[in-house]
Amino acid sequence: MDARPASARPPDGPRLLLERALALECDIDPMILRARLLRRQGAALQALCLEQELLPLF
């Protein structure tokens, strides 16, 4: 258990949400690498679309 007083601890809600998010098996690295590759290949619009798909995750 945390030794800090309850008033010094962050609220449980955001912490639990973060723990649940980290528990999901979601690897976005391939998507980021794909967006970079698309940009290098001159497909900026496709890269932008892929990046838009990632925005809700951050």
Side-chain angles (χ1 to χ4, degrees):
M1 195 75 178
D2 199 342
R4 295 179 291 176
S7 61
R9 282 182 280 163
D12 286 338
R15 182 181 57 81
L16 292 174
L17 287 173
L18 178 62
E19 287 178 4
R20 278 191 226 135
L22 292 176
L24 294 175
E25 293 184 17
C26 178
D27 187 7
I28 62 169
D29 289 343
M31 293 177 75
I32 293 170
L33 294 174
R34 178 70 176 152
R36 290 180 182 170
L37 177 63
L38 287 169
R39 285 199 183 278
R40 280 194 302 265
Q41 293 174 342
L45 185 58
Q46 289 86 351
L48 182 61
C49 291
L50 186 58
E51 289 166 355
Q52 290 294 317
E53 291 294 325
L54 296 174
L55 285 179
L57 298 177
F58 296 105

